[in-house]
Amino acid sequence: MEPSVDANSITITVEGMTCISCVRTIEQQIGKVNGVHHIKVSLEEKSATIIYDPKLQTPKTLQEAIDDMGFDALLHNANPLPVLTNTVFLTVTAPLALPWDHIQSTLLKTKGVTGVKISPQQRSAVVTIIPSVVSASQIVELVPDLSLDMATQEKKSGTCEEHSTPQAGEVMLKMKVEGMTCHSCTSTIEGKVGKLQGVQRIKVSLDNQEATIVFQPHLITAEEIKKQIEAVGFPAFIKKQPKYLKLGAIDVERLKNTPVKSSEGSQQKSPSYPSDSTTVFIIEGMHCKSCVSNIESALSTLQYVSSIVVSLENRSAIVKYNASLVTPEMLRKAIEAISPGQYRVSISSEVESTASSPSSSSLQKMPLNIVSQPLTQEAVININGMTCNSCVQSIEGVISKKPGVKSIHVSLANSTGTIEYDPLLTSPETLREAIEDMGFDAALPDMKEPLVVIAQPSLETPLLPSSNEPENVMTSVQNKCYIQVSGMTCASCVANIERNLRREEGIYSVLVALMAGKAEVRYNPAVIQPRVIAEFIRELGFGAMVMENAGEGNGILELVVRGMTCASCVHKIESTLTKHKGIFYCSVALATNKAHIKYDPEIIGPRDIIHTIGSLGFEASLVKKDRSANHLDHKREIKQWRGSFLVSLFFCIPVMGLMVYMMVMDHHLATLHHNQNMSNEEMINMHSAMFLERQILPGLSIMNLLSLLLCLPVQFCGGWYFYIQAYKALKHKTANMDVLIVLATTIAFAYSLVILLVAMFERAKVNPITFFDTPPMLFVFIALGRWLEHIAKGKTSEALAKLISLQATEATIVTLNSENLLLSEEQVDVELVQRGDIIKVVPGGKFPVDGRVIEGHSMVDESLITGEAMPVAKKPGSTVIAGSINQNGSLLIRATHVGADTTLSQIVKLVEEAQTSKAPIQQFADKLSGYFVPFIVLVSIVTLLVWIIIGFQNFEIVETYFPGYNRSISRTETIIRFAFQASITVLCIACPCSLGLATPTAVMVGTGVGAQNGILIKGGEPLEMAHKVKVVVFDKTGTITHGTPVVNQVKVLVESNKISRNKILAIVGTAESNSEHPLGAAVTKYCKKELDTETLGTCTDFQVVPGCGISCKVTNIEGLLHKSNLKIEENNIKNASLVQIDAINEQSSTSSSMIIDAHLSNAVNTQQYKVLIGNREWMIRNGLVISNDIDESMIEHERRGRTAVLVTIDDELCGLIAIADTVKPEAELAVHILKSMGLEVVLMTGDNSKTARSIASQVGITKVFAEVLPSHKVAKVKQLQEEGKRVAMVGDGINDSPALAMANVGIAIGTGTDVAIEAADVVLIRNDLLDVVASIDLSRKTVKRIRINFVFALIYNLLGIPIAAGVFMPIGLVLQPWMGSAAMAASSVSVVLSSLFLKLYRKPTYDNYELHPRSHTGQRSPSEISVHVGIDDTSRNSPRLGLLDRIVNYSRASINSLLSDKRSLNSVVTSEPDKHSLLVGDFREDDDTTL
């Protein structure tokens, strides 16, 4: 029978629970409600999960029921999940003592029973139960007269199979998932979808960007799964339509288990069959051909079925099978188990036997003792493809549940699995296939025979769920796992997790990375499992999830190996290395002396590999990688173009000389002709008589010969590069700048050569006019332009070159003994540094890798990486960044991130990717350039034809405007020469280069300037997109606020003569110093700061009640108070008299020492204080009464988004402490500037609406989305985008990564690695909100510069081409080809120089904006802020104020502005809060005030 859905599950968020008693109250009350089967309330997660009958209850009624109990119940998702039910078949075993009606009502009253069907005729009952609430055995206990019908149960079940093997009715689905950037994304999807009802298994592949899901289609649809993945923020598409799993079509395991479970029974019930038999089955429930093929394909997979024919018309199946292995009854059950489980099967009477003696079945011959005490054999299977302990556990988990498997042990180190099995039920080949079906390579060793031993059947113990623990082989019992941790905000969270986990038994070490949101834990698998470690982290108040595939990632090593002589040397190295644990692959080439090695950096390091090769007698060293930024400074290109320019110039100068000489002589002849009225014949004779015009051969003058000789080397040596590039472009069916240049020069050269050869052939008397002067002059200007362009480009990449040059090349590795004394030092290449190495960094040295200080104190300059000008103090425990410079003290650091994982490498990679990526505007320019060249060629041809036509029609125009017109040349030649000159000039001046350079040069300079200012922009697209942004969405915690709680106010509730403020602080600070809670840490920090001390008193009998508070006893605080009193006295004395300062100082110091000594002698008589710190509930529980004014004061603080904590000393209320997450000082200013730039600013947070409203009012934001879950942030961003707005999302990059990826521009703040870098488009290295302003400002400036560049480029082309074509000839504008090429070179250079102006960009700073009048920046009153709660856009606007309230509000605003002026002048804080502030709500920051 198919599992049915008669119950639903819903999770309701419950606010207001304080302790376990609240949990029990809710569970008892709601559990009694009619229709509720089960309820589980979690105090930590503040939620209640209820399984209920949808016919009797709805999510809304259940929410109201919890609300009525006095708690705040919120329904985030009103869509309930279906709960899987099971069917139990009961039969009457003895005469019934009770009537059937009574049995039915008893069963229906039982929690977890959703339906009962009674059949008095068949003396049976069918009960539908929820297996997670009630079991079949509990049902039998309720009604003793009924017992389980095992036969029917076996036939009908198929729902409570374990998850590891596919079941009947399972479907496999493959989905394409886009937008995944890291393993955090895969974990998120697997975590979200894996929890859905009906999803059996899910595996997400980051490399293939796809998800493989096995699910039950009667519980969940493929479309629902797709929606859930999209809700997390990843677009998903179904690749293949879901198909039923063949393995799931028959429950092979249950089928095979039948003879062992009930062998005797089956022998008695079923008649004996000969060894080869045929049986006809009658099958009800087939509808179409797909049912036929379904049954045929499912049964034909069984090894003991030789053939099967199913007939839809006769509703029958004829099955031929091996009767020695299976019975007809087993086959009947097999057919009934086929998905979708709707077939009713009966055995027909027609049975044909093919063997002679049907008297004895081989089943009956089987000895019974085998069943009671079966044989056990052992098989060893070689398994390849395992990468970590997760693989081991999944193989052990699946194979141990196979029928006949007694035990299994899989070794990751040896890549083998040792299995004890019953040979009557399974075989090594079957087990090998089962392992291969899981995706591993499995093979049986040839030589070993299975070992036979007699053993008792072993009990199967359930394994823990598989999780990812890459094995660490430093010790045999040390494993490693990675856990994704969310909710960490600062270094204290990291310290809290590390400190608490180290206390747990079985955990060796913990390394938590704040930026990556990841914890690496080494543990003993025999003592503790990753799932339990994740649970410990959750108990500390953080989100935790075991990560799959986190430890994967191979290192690749290239080595030069010297000393090899033959192939045996190669084999020796390869065989030795591959035997080493952690080396996956090794290839050594004798010819090149190089070795290529792939290894696991967690197990082995490059130094170990080099030592291993060294121990074999060879010398190994790293292949030197070019760490310099040579590829960025364009030195090679600059050298190439300078050479090209000088070659062209060398030949061009004589050509220019000849040209000038001819021009002077022509001018001289023209003057003579004009003055002396010489005839044309005389002119021609005189022209021919000139030295250069003398003919060596008929038709070949000295001038033309010299021009040809000077042109040849330039054309084919200087222009060789252009020919290659033009050929490559045309080969790929594109046309670029080089094609135009080659066209212009080749046509000019070819035309001239042809004319010259024709003249020589015709033995012409008059020398032809050639263009041999054009190519050298063209190439000179083009080479000059390219040379200048590359010099400028080199400048644009300076920023990246500077970043690369920060990387240290060597590191000093030190060895320490057990007492931490230095044993040895060794200088190694930075690429040989392994994780965990201890490195010494001397003053003035660079940090070679990221690490943590273990010894020494120093100041470190991190300015080139973070942009922070001030040096940062480092002490043991501080983290250091590769590339930063150690200033004054020697430090020992332990490497935590090496090679490509260091922060500097990540930044360099990011900037390199940014500078190579194209902005959309650039893609347009490239497209334009593609059409540009053919267009110019067309214009050039049209120019040629038009001038030829004009010349022949009206020769006077040519005669007038041709600058070098010579009457000695024929009219036709003059026209053609003039037309040719115009068309070649068009080719020369047209320049797609400047169009192509307009964007990339500006993007390169822009990203480089950004990187220098601590703003990392991922390429042209975000840089261009940022200027279009209309909405900036800020996350609250860690972005607008610091993310760490701080004490805002301490109110003393008793007279100071009873107990002083300092005494309260000393007691409270001591009490809270033992607390792990962030609020406790904030209180301790505040007290230490106020008392100016690092040490506090003694705390005993410390107890903590989660959600309520702490109680303890405090002693030894008198010393603290005396110290602080003395400091106050000293300050008072100093301030009182400046004249006798020396004498007074001596006096105060002597008196202070006397007082302290006197006090220490009485230290034995210290007083003990009984302390209670906590919320209202905690105080009431301990019998204390809270007065109305204190309660009102607490409510006021809570309304402002603060946590109010009460302090009791010796059963008397003494103080009220207000704690809140404070707003960053620059937040209000940043929001104001963004608004002044015309942007809409929105606050989005998962926090409650009160806190969100309070924070928004402080920074001046008017639109707030509160109580938004991380997965819903994506939907919110999408919602804003659907309104047609471009959205920038600013987050701290840990839990906001899906929203950062969804936004048009994602800006990650205060981070520089992993999640943030992968999801965001812009990464701000410094935790400064003004950098958000700077990034948008830089984008606007860059886009403006790109537009200016386009103007430059287009002006040259739009004006230059018509001038070159001769359009402006009537006004005397005529261009020679060399002028065109000069203009073309100038356009490219001017565009690059224009881009370099961006280098002058200066980032706006806090001080710049502080100079502006602050009157415009203003905190908002609550009525101006609209708060939208959750995913549904229900706006919770503040209540409309009445007329009287508004008058009070306006008057208060004006009074406040006066008060604020006074406050800023006098810096005096009133001790009483403003009375109106309680009515309307004043959101000013409170300073410490005393009641």
Side-chain angles (χ1 to χ4, degrees):
M1 182 174 169
E2 199 175 296
S4 59
V5 182
D6 295 323
N8 284 350
S9 168
I10 191 80
T11 301
I12 298 172
T13 304
V14 184
E15 298 285 348
M17 298 188 289
T18 53
C19 57
I20 294 296
S21 70
C22 301
V23 171
R24 289 192 189 123
T25 309
I26 296 170
E27 285 181 347
Q28 284 165 7
Q29 291 291 329
I30 303 301
K32 289 175 190 171
V33 173
N34 189 23
V36 172
H37 293 297
H38 180 67
I39 177 167
K40 177 77 182 125
V41 181
S42 166
L43 181 63
E44 292 79 16
E45 293 172 10
K46 294 185 179 173
S47 68
T49 305
I50 306 167
I51 298 173
Y52 65 95
D53 186 343
K55 295 192 279 291
L56 299 173
Q57 293 292 344
T58 66
K60 200 76 189 158
T61 57
L62 295 169
Q63 181 197 355
E64 285 165 4
I66 297 172
D67 267 333
D68 293 344
M69 292 176 68
F71 299 97
D72 291 336
L74 300 168
L75 203 60
H76 288 301
N77 185 1
N79 299 325
L81 293 171
V83 175
L84 197 64
T85 58
N86 217 339
T87 311
V88 178
F89 300 90
L90 303 173
T91 54
V92 177
T93 51
L96 281 176
L98 299 164
W100 282 109
D101 297 349
H102 187 272
I103 290 169
Q104 189 167 6
S105 63
T106 306
L107 289 172
L108 283 170
K109 282 177 192 166
T110 308
K111 295 284 180 192
V113 174
T114 61
V116 179
K117 285 181 186 170
I118 301 289
S119 176
Q121 293 83 15
Q122 294 176 0
R123 296 172 66 75
S124 67
V126 181
V127 186
T128 309
I129 61 166
I130 302 166
S132 58
V133 179
V134 69
S135 67
S137 56
Q138 287 170 308
I139 297 293
V140 174
E141 284 170 20
L142 284 170
V143 190
D145 297 338
L146 300 177
S147 67
L148 280 175
D149 182 355
M150 292 310 289
T152 321
Q153 191 68 22
E154 259 183 41
K155 179 174 77 181
K156 300 286 182 187
S157 79
T159 55
C160 32
E161 273 295 301
E162 67 285 334
H163 285 293
S164 55
T165 52
Q167 319 168 8
E170 278 185 6
V171 166
M172 191 167 89
L173 169 71
K174 284 209 172 187
M175 277 195 184
K176 178 87 177 156
V177 183
E178 292 180 350
M180 296 189 292
T181 53
C182 59
H183 285 297
S184 155
C185 303
T186 60
S187 306
T188 306
I189 296 169
E190 285 177 354
K192 173 88 175 170
V193 177
K195 289 175 188 166
L196 297 175
Q197 190 78 25
V199 173
Q200 302 292 82
R201 289 190 297 290
I202 174 166
K203 180 68 189 160
V204 182
S205 165
L206 180 64
D207 301 333
N208 304 334
Q209 295 274 307
E210 71 173 24
T212 307
I213 303 149
V214 176
F215 69 99
Q216 293 174 317
H218 55 273
L219 294 182
I220 192 165
T221 65
E223 201 55 43
E224 284 169 353
I225 295 171
K226 178 173 172 272
K227 280 179 187 164
Q228 290 293 340
I229 296 173
E230 284 176 345
V232 187
F234 302 96
F237 312 97
I238 296 170
K239 281 176 81 173
K240 290 182 185 171
Q241 281 307 313
K243 59 177 183 184
Y244 281 96
L245 288 173
K246 279 195 177 176
L247 187 63
I250 291 186
D251 214 332
V252 181
E253 286 74 30
R254 200 175 327 115
L255 187 66
K256 286 184 182 173
N257 274 346
T258 312
V260 179
K261 284 182 185 171
S262 55
S263 56
E264 292 166 39
S266 62
Q267 285 161 33
Q268 290 158 10
K269 287 176 191 172
S270 53
S272 60
Y273 285 88
S275 58
D276 199 7
S277 295
T278 306
T279 302
V280 180
F281 296 88
I282 303 297
I283 305 173
E284 300 287 340
M286 294 191 293
H287 303 298
C288 58
K289 287 283 181 191
S290 72
C291 298
V292 172
S293 61
N294 194 6
I295 295 168
E296 283 181 345
S297 63
L299 275 197
S300 59
T301 58
L302 297 172
Q303 58 193 25
Y304 29 71
V305 173
S306 51
S307 72
I308 174 167
V309 180
V310 180
S311 167
L312 180 64
E313 294 78 22
N314 304 332
R315 291 175 297 134
S316 66
I318 302 166
V319 185
K320 197 173 184 183
Y321 60 94
N322 185 343
S324 61
L325 295 174
V326 71
T327 65
E329 180 61 24
M330 287 158 68
L331 288 171
R332 186 184 72 76
K333 288 180 182 175
I335 299 169
E336 285 195 337
I338 294 170
S339 172
Q342 63 186 10
Y343 308 117
R344 295 177 299 287
V345 185
S346 59
I347 302 169
S348 171
S349 55
E350 301 164 34
V351 176
E352 298 169 16
S353 93
T354 53
S356 54
S357 68
S359 58
S360 64
S361 134
S362 60
L363 271 174
Q364 287 173 320
K365 290 176 190 168
M366 206 178 282
L368 283 172
N369 69 329
I370 287 178
V371 177
S372 60
Q373 186 176 312
L375 281 172
T376 298
Q377 288 189 354
E378 191 179 85
V380 177
I381 299 175
N382 296 330
I383 306 169
N384 292 324
M386 298 187 291
T387 54
C388 59
N389 247 38
S390 162
C391 304
V392 171
Q393 290 196 356
S394 61
I395 294 170
E396 288 180 348
V398 171
I399 303 302
S400 64
K401 294 186 173 74
K402 295 284 178 194
V405 174
K406 304 298 178 61
S407 71
I408 174 168
H409 174 70
V410 178
S411 165
L412 178 65
N414 305 329
S415 296
T416 59
T418 307
I419 307 169
E420 284 186 4
Y421 65 96
D422 183 346
L424 298 174
L425 298 176
T426 189
S427 67
E429 183 56 31
T430 311
L431 296 170
R432 185 195 68 76
E433 285 172 2
I435 295 170
E436 282 208 328
D437 288 343
M438 294 176 68
F440 300 96
D441 295 333
L444 291 166
D446 302 326
M447 56 285 175
K448 287 190 183 176
E449 282 296 315
L451 197 76
V452 180
V453 289
I454 300 287
Q456 289 295 330
S458 62
L459 289 168
E460 289 182 14
T461 53
L463 283 154
L464 282 159
S466 67
S467 49
N468 187 19
E469 316 100 16
E471 188 176 313
N472 177 39
V473 289
M474 277 158 52
T475 60
S476 57
V477 288
Q478 246 191 56
N479 277 11
K480 186 165 70 172
C481 68
Y482 290 88
I483 294 169
Q484 185 80 44
V485 184
S486 57
M488 297 188 292
T489 52
C490 62
S492 70
C493 300
V494 171
N496 186 7
I497 294 170
E498 288 183 350
R499 184 171 61 248
N500 281 286
L501 283 187
R502 282 196 197 106
R503 291 177 186 163
E504 299 299 336
E505 194 186 346
I507 292 179
Y508 299 119
S509 70
V510 185
L511 179 67
V512 180
L514 174 66
M515 301 309 179
K518 195 162 81 173
E520 178 195 296
V521 186
R522 292 180 189 273
Y523 65 97
N524 184 345
V527 180
I528 197 166
Q529 288 293 327
R531 190 172 54 87
V532 183
I533 298 168
E535 193 54 47
F536 284 141
I537 297 173
R538 280 190 211 105
E539 283 171 11
L540 294 171
F542 303 95
M545 188 165 67
V546 179
M547 292 170 72
E548 290 290 334
N549 308 325
E552 290 176 12
N554 300 342
I556 293 173
L557 191 61
E558 290 276 351
L559 296 176
V560 175
V561 183
R562 309 219 174 272
M564 297 188 292
T565 54
C566 60
S568 70
C569 301
V570 170
H571 176 70
K572 188 178 178 184
I573 296 170
E574 286 181 351
S575 59
T576 307
L577 286 181
T578 45
K579 279 178 195 164
H580 266 270
K581 228 176 219 178
I583 293 180
F584 305 126
Y585 168 81
C586 173
S587 167
V588 182
L590 181 64
T592 57
N593 283 342
K594 280 190 179 172
H596 182 81
I597 299 150
K598 278 186 187 171
Y599 65 97
D600 183 351
E602 293 297 332
I603 296 173
I604 196 166
R607 278 208 318 282
D608 307 329
I609 295 170
I610 288 173
H611 286 156
T612 305
I613 296 172
S615 67
L616 296 172
F618 304 100
E619 188 189 325
S621 60
L622 276 177
V623 172
K624 287 288 173 196
K625 287 184 184 166
D626 182 16
R627 271 200 218 94
S628 66
N630 290 348
H631 62 292
L632 295 170
D633 56 16
H634 294 262
K635 273 185 183 158
R636 197 175 64 82
E637 290 89 347
I638 290 169
K639 189 178 173 187
Q640 179 191 323
W641 289 111
R642 190 181 62 193
S644 183
F645 168 68
L646 293 173
V647 167
S648 301
L649 188 67
F650 177 78
F651 292 104
C652 178
I653 289 170
V655 170
M656 284 175 84
L658 293 174
M659 199 171 80
V660 170
Y661 170 75
M662 288 306 292
M663 282 166 78
V664 169
M665 291 308 291
D666 281 349
H667 181 71
H668 175 65
L669 285 175
T671 313
L672 282 175
H673 171 67
H674 187 70
N675 294 341
Q676 298 174 14
N677 295 323
M678 290 170 76
S679 67
N680 275 349
E681 285 75 18
E682 287 174 324
M683 283 277 295
I684 291 166
N685 292 332
M686 198 167 180
H687 194 268
S688 306
M690 284 161 56
F691 171 72
L692 289 177
E693 287 294 320
R694 283 182 194 162
Q695 292 192 344
I696 302 166
L697 295 169
L700 177 64
S701 66
I702 296 171
M703 171 76 183
N704 281 342
L705 181 64
L706 285 173
S707 297
L708 173 65
L709 293 173
L710 289 169
C711 179
L712 272 169
V714 177
Q715 182 71 36
F716 296 107
C717 299
W720 181 243
Y721 172 81
F722 292 102
Y723 277 100
I724 291 169
Q725 294 304 105
Y727 168 71
K728 284 179 181 171
L730 291 170
K731 191 176 164 186
H732 293 102
K733 295 187 173 65
T734 60
N736 59 8
M737 191 59 232
D738 301 313
V739 174
L740 280 185
I741 294 163
V742 165
L743 264 177
T745 55
T746 310
I747 290 169
F749 180 79
Y751 168 80
S752 306
L753 192 62
V754 169
I755 289 275
L756 192 63
L757 292 171
V758 167
M760 286 171 71
F761 179 75
E762 290 180 350
R763 308 175 76 81
K765 294 275 186 293
V766 178
N767 296 320
I769 301 298
T770 57
F771 284 103
F772 288 127
D773 56 337
T774 302
M777 294 183 82
L778 261 180
F779 283 130
V780 161
F781 286 110
I782 289 157
L784 176 66
R786 295 270 172 111
W787 179 29
L788 295 174
E789 187 186 306
H790 281 288
I791 289 172
K793 273 187 183 172
K795 292 268 192 296
T796 65
S797 304
E798 260 177 9
L800 186 52
K802 201 177 279 182
L803 277 174
I804 291 174
S805 68
L806 289 177
Q807 177 68 64
T809 53
E810 288 193 323
T812 306
I813 292 179
V814 298
T815 314
L816 305 178
N817 65 6
S818 54
E819 281 87 42
N820 274 0
L821 295 172
L822 200 137
L823 294 178
S824 67
E825 284 188 16
E826 183 190 1
Q827 285 280 113
V828 300
D829 196 291
V830 76
E831 283 166 1
L832 294 177
V833 177
Q834 293 166 198
R835 203 166 138 191
D837 282 344
I838 294 169
I839 296 156
K840 181 180 175 185
V841 185
V842 295
K846 285 178 187 170
F847 288 93
V849 292
D850 291 1
R852 190 168 280 155
V853 178
I854 57 169
E855 195 178 294
H857 291 75
S858 180
M859 300 298 282
V860 173
D861 177 9
E862 295 180 345
S863 60
L864 278 161
I865 293 158
T866 63
E868 186 61 66
M870 293 295 289
V872 184
K874 300 289 177 186
K875 57 184 184 189
S878 305
T879 54
V880 291
I881 306 172
S884 49
I885 298 163
N886 186 18
Q887 288 193 332
N888 46 22
S890 191
L891 293 176
L892 286 184
I893 67 163
R894 178 171 271 114
T896 55
H897 297 90
V898 298
D901 296 332
T902 63
T903 306
L904 182 63
S905 299
Q906 297 271 10
I907 293 171
V908 169
K909 181 181 161 208
L910 191 65
V911 178
E912 275 182 336
E913 283 171 1
Q915 297 196 341
T916 51
S917 74
K918 285 188 178 179
I921 195 166
Q922 186 186 342
Q923 287 160 9
F924 166 73
D926 291 351
K927 203 172 179 182
L928 194 69
S929 297
Y931 295 116
F932 186 84
V933 174
F935 169 73
I936 292 304
V937 173
L938 192 70
V939 170
S940 174
I941 293 166
V942 169
T943 306
L944 178 73
L945 296 173
V946 167
W947 277 115
I948 289 173
I949 293 162
I950 291 172
F952 283 113
Q953 293 293 321
N954 189 351
F955 182 68
E956 283 73 31
I957 294 175
V958 175
E959 199 176 4
T960 312
Y961 297 117
F962 192 12
Y965 174 60
N966 192 329
R967 289 184 185 280
S968 61
I969 307 164
S970 70
R971 180 182 286 200
T972 308
E973 196 175 334
T974 305
I975 293 166
I976 289 174
R977 182 186 166 177
F978 179 74
F980 221 83
Q981 183 176 307
S983 70
I984 284 178
T985 309
V986 168
L987 284 178
C988 294
I989 201 163
C991 177
C993 264
S994 51
L995 277 175
L997 286 169
T999 309
T1001 51
V1003 166
M1004 283 184 96
V1005 181
T1007 49
V1009 167
Q1012 281 176 323
N1013 284 298
I1015 302 164
L1016 301 180
I1017 302 165
K1018 287 180 160 182
E1021 195 159 349
L1023 188 64
E1024 192 195 323
M1025 186 57 76
H1027 90 284
K1028 296 179 185 173
V1029 164
K1030 288 285 172 275
V1031 183
V1032 180
V1033 179
F1034 282 99
D1035 177 46
K1036 180 182 76 73
T1037 311
T1039 305
I1040 290 281
T1041 66
H1042 283 108
T1044 48
V1046 176
V1047 174
N1048 288 65
Q1049 189 182 38
V1050 175
K1051 285 188 178 177
V1052 180
L1053 305 174
V1054 289
E1055 292 81 17
S1056 57
N1057 57 4
K1058 257 190 172 183
I1059 186 164
S1060 69
R1061 183 175 184 276
N1062 276 7
K1063 191 171 185 179
I1064 291 173
L1065 291 180
I1067 293 169
V1068 169
T1070 304
E1072 288 285 17
S1073 63
N1074 278 27
S1075 172
E1076 297 288 353
H1077 200 283
L1079 297 181
V1083 171
T1084 305
K1085 189 177 175 185
Y1086 175 80
C1087 296
K1088 283 179 176 178
K1089 186 182 168 190
E1090 286 293 299
L1091 299 169
D1092 194 17
T1093 178
E1094 276 302 309
T1095 54
L1096 294 163
T1098 311
C1099 175
T1100 52
D1101 297 345
F1102 182 83
Q1103 284 182 317
V1104 61
V1105 178
C1108 288
I1110 62 162
S1111 69
C1112 63
K1113 294 191 174 84
V1114 170
T1115 51
N1116 295 338
I1117 58 155
E1118 286 75 11
L1120 289 175
L1121 298 175
H1122 278 285
K1123 247 189 240 177
S1124 62
N1125 290 342
L1126 285 171
K1127 278 176 187 165
I1128 293 164
E1129 282 173 31
E1130 281 176 19
N1131 288 342
N1132 290 345
I1133 293 163
K1134 280 176 190 170
N1135 295 339
S1137 171
L1138 294 169
V1139 182
Q1140 301 172 328
I1141 189 158
D1142 293 332
I1144 289 163
N1145 274 349
E1146 283 170 27
Q1147 187 184 330
S1148 64
S1149 63
T1150 52
S1151 63
S1152 70
S1153 60
M1154 285 161 61
I1155 292 166
I1156 290 167
D1157 289 341
H1159 173 68
L1160 289 174
S1161 64
N1162 300 329
V1164 186
N1165 309 322
T1166 56
Q1167 193 178 342
Q1168 190 180 65
Y1169 303 93
K1170 183 188 167 193
V1171 185
L1172 291 172
I1173 304 172
N1175 55 18
R1176 292 186 191 82
E1177 165 86 12
W1178 186 231
M1179 296 300 153
I1180 293 163
R1181 238 195 245 187
N1182 285 283
L1184 289 148
V1185 181
I1186 300 166
S1187 62
N1188 285 344
D1189 53 345
I1190 294 172
D1191 195 47
E1192 279 171 21
S1193 188
M1194 289 180 80
I1195 290 166
E1196 174 61 17
H1197 281 302
E1198 283 159 4
R1199 192 176 63 74
R1200 297 184 186 194
R1202 298 173 185 167
T1203 306
V1205 177
L1206 293 168
V1207 178
T1208 308
I1209 299 171
D1210 293 335
D1211 296 328
E1212 186 174 1
L1213 271 175
C1214 296
L1216 187 151
I1217 303 172
I1219 308 163
D1221 185 3
T1222 54
V1223 171
K1224 289 179 185 173
E1226 77 278 7
E1228 187 187 342
L1229 186 59
V1231 169
H1232 169 68
I1233 300 159
L1234 287 170
K1235 285 187 170 181
S1236 66
M1237 288 164 79
L1239 301 171
E1240 182 188 344
V1241 183
V1242 175
L1243 181 68
M1244 181 149 61
T1245 175
D1247 217 329
N1248 63 60
S1249 51
K1250 284 180 188 172
T1251 309
R1253 192 188 293 274
S1254 161
I1255 298 292
S1257 69
Q1258 289 175 44
V1259 296
I1261 295 176
T1262 51
K1263 190 173 186 180
V1264 178
F1265 295 117
E1267 297 171 31
V1268 181
L1269 300 174
S1271 56
H1272 291 164
K1273 285 183 180 176
V1274 178
K1276 271 288 168 221
V1277 170
K1278 218 174 189 175
Q1279 197 176 311
L1280 289 167
Q1281 286 171 333
E1282 281 162 5
E1283 291 170 21
K1285 296 170 180 171
R1286 299 284 167 89
V1287 180
M1289 169 81 194
V1290 187
D1292 55 5
I1294 292 167
N1295 61 340
D1296 305 317
S1297 52
L1300 288 171
M1302 173 55 69
N1304 299 88
V1305 180
I1307 302 174
I1309 189 162
T1311 55
T1313 48
D1314 292 8
V1315 183
I1317 276 189
E1318 284 165 349
D1321 303 304
V1322 178
V1323 181
L1324 309 179
I1325 293 178
R1326 292 193 307 158
N1327 202 348
D1328 186 350
L1329 285 177
L1330 286 174
D1331 281 0
V1332 175
V1333 179
S1335 62
I1336 294 172
D1337 185 46
L1338 177 62
S1339 163
R1340 289 182 173 186
K1341 293 271 196 309
T1342 307
V1343 170
K1344 186 179 172 188
R1345 185 55 56 189
I1346 290 172
R1347 284 172 180 162
I1348 291 169
N1349 289 353
F1350 269 120
V1351 169
F1352 270 123
L1354 290 169
I1355 282 174
Y1356 274 104
N1357 287 312
L1358 293 174
L1359 291 178
I1361 293 167
I1363 293 170
V1367 175
F1368 297 105
M1369 225 167 242
I1371 58 165
L1373 267 178
V1374 183
L1375 288 183
Q1376 296 284 343
W1378 66 270
M1379 294 176 185
S1381 62
M1384 178 173 76
S1387 75
S1388 295
V1389 174
S1390 63
V1391 161
V1392 175
L1393 292 174
S1394 159
S1395 292
L1396 286 173
F1397 272 104
L1398 269 177
K1399 291 201 117 182
L1400 303 174
Y1401 175 79
R1402 290 290 168 268
K1403 187 172 80 170
T1405 61
Y1406 193 80
D1407 302 334
N1408 293 3
Y1409 285 118
E1410 278 292 299
L1411 299 172
H1412 293 290
R1414 291 297 296 274
S1415 57
H1416 302 296
T1417 69
Q1419 298 176 349
R1420 302 283 171 178
S1421 76
S1423 59
E1424 293 177 77
I1425 299 166
S1426 71
V1427 179
H1428 308 262
V1429 176
I1431 188 71
D1432 50 343
D1433 204 10
T1434 51
S1435 172
R1436 281 194 197 170
N1437 283 320
S1438 299
R1440 298 286 297 172
L1441 297 179
L1443 182 63
L1444 178 65
D1445 290 334
R1446 267 184 274 175
I1447 293 164
V1448 171
N1449 200 8
Y1450 294 140
S1451 61
R1452 180 175 63 83
S1454 53
I1455 292 164
N1456 279 352
S1457 63
L1458 288 168
L1459 283 173
S1460 66
D1461 292 343
K1462 282 184 186 172
R1463 261 210 301 278
S1464 61
L1465 289 168
N1466 306 329
S1467 300
V1468 172
V1469 182
T1470 51
S1471 60
E1472 284 275 343
D1474 184 1
K1475 292 286 182 288
H1476 297 303
S1477 68
L1478 297 174
L1479 293 171
V1480 184
D1482 176 14
F1483 283 87
R1484 283 171 299 159
E1485 280 287 306
D1486 287 346
D1487 285 321
D1488 295 337
T1489 55
T1490 309
L1491 275 177

